[in-house]
Amino acid sequence: MNKSQLIEALAKAENLPVKKAEEVVNTFFGDMEEALVKGERVEIRGLGSFKVKNYDGYTGRNPKTGEMINVAPKKLPFFKVGKELKERVDIEQ
Amino acid sequence: MTLTKASIISHVADDDMGRSKAAHVVESLLEIVKYSLQKGESVLVSGFGKFSVKGKNERRGRNPATGADLMLRGRRIVVFKTSTVLRDKINQG
């Protein structure tokens, strides 16, 4: 499912104009994005939490050429799945 | 500061959508995302990231407290991959 399918599904489920559903979806993910860019934590009950982690730089190797390269330190969001979603996804099939 | 559902709901609410309706719509959006993942279907939000479900094989593990051997059953877990667009924004600051 992609973003436009998500918008359509929300519009249908809530009987909203597609334009309005799009605003809601954009606000939802836009707010999370803004918080993460500021380095803030995000916690959505039932879904999970996001936290920006700092990774140190290291010397790596280009696997193709074997050449040594320096990998710069970086920040990456880390997602921890919430209890409800974790349990719902892990049902025996 | 942690971003929570409550602040997103306040942001979603406006003149033609009151706070309780906004809360309902945000829950509905989350339910669509969770239901897709429960079915094993990925959710791709362009510019934000992709949530997908990955299967883990059964493996031998150990209880870290007692040191006892145990078998961990195969599981299904949710993984999140940050979009390169968001990743770059987080690393700009």
Side-chain angles (χ1 to χ4, degrees):
Chain A
M1 170 176 279
N2 61 30
K3 193 160 141 185
S4 49
Q5 289 166 324
L6 181 58
I7 291 165
E8 258 175 61
L10 181 64
K12 207 173 151 203
E14 291 302 316
N15 206 8
L16 291 172
V18 173
K19 193 91 199 128
K20 192 74 206 168
E22 186 179 3
E23 272 175 38
V24 172
V25 170
N26 285 336
T27 301
F28 186 83
F29 290 103
D31 279 7
M32 292 208 280
E33 172 179 328
E34 214 177 281
L36 292 170
V37 169
K38 284 191 282 188
E40 287 173 5
R41 225 175 80 86
V42 176
E43 187 180 321
I44 308 295
R45 281 290 152 87
L47 183 76
S49 61
F50 298 83
K51 172 176 147 181
V52 178
K53 277 194 178 177
N54 289 297
Y55 291 88
D56 289 337
Y58 58 93
T59 309
R61 227 175 244 281
N62 179 335
K64 228 179 243 169
T65 64
E67 191 188 347
M68 300 291 274
I69 42 164
N70 282 317
V71 179
K74 65 190 166 209
K75 289 186 268 186
L76 271 184
F78 174 78
F79 173 67
K80 183 166 188 289
V81 68
K83 190 168 185 280
E84 184 206 337
L85 180 58
K86 184 179 175 173
E87 288 171 356
R88 280 176 62 176
V89 165
D90 191 27
I91 39 168
E92 320 240 6
Q93 293 198 307
Chain B
M1 258 293 281
T2 300
L3 176 74
T4 58
K5 225 186 274 178
S7 34
I8 297 176
I9 290 166
S10 311
H11 194 184
V12 165
D14 60 16
D15 297 340
D16 44 83
M17 196 191 278
R19 205 172 184 286
S20 66
K21 173 74 178 163
H24 183 79
V25 170
V26 166
E27 272 321 321
S28 176
L29 165 62
L30 281 166
E31 182 51 36
I32 295 165
V33 171
K34 289 184 276 191
Y35 184 63
S36 285
L37 291 166
Q38 186 180 346
K39 283 187 299 176
E41 196 190 318
S42 308
V43 179
L44 170 69
V45 184
S46 51
F48 186 76
K50 183 182 175 187
F51 297 90
S52 47
V53 176
K54 210 174 118 184
K56 292 277 228 184
N57 288 329
E58 182 186 61
R59 68 180 169 89
R60 196 183 297 278
R62 205 177 271 273
N63 179 332
T66 65
D69 274 341
L70 62 143
M71 213 51 180
L72 296 172
R73 65 183 175 84
R75 292 169 298 151
R76 296 206 312 161
I77 59 157
V78 180
V79 288
F80 175 72
K81 179 147 195 303
T82 311
S83 126
T84 50
V85 180
L86 177 56
R87 214 184 122 144
D88 290 347
K89 279 188 194 165
I90 287 173
N91 283 284
Q92 256 166 26

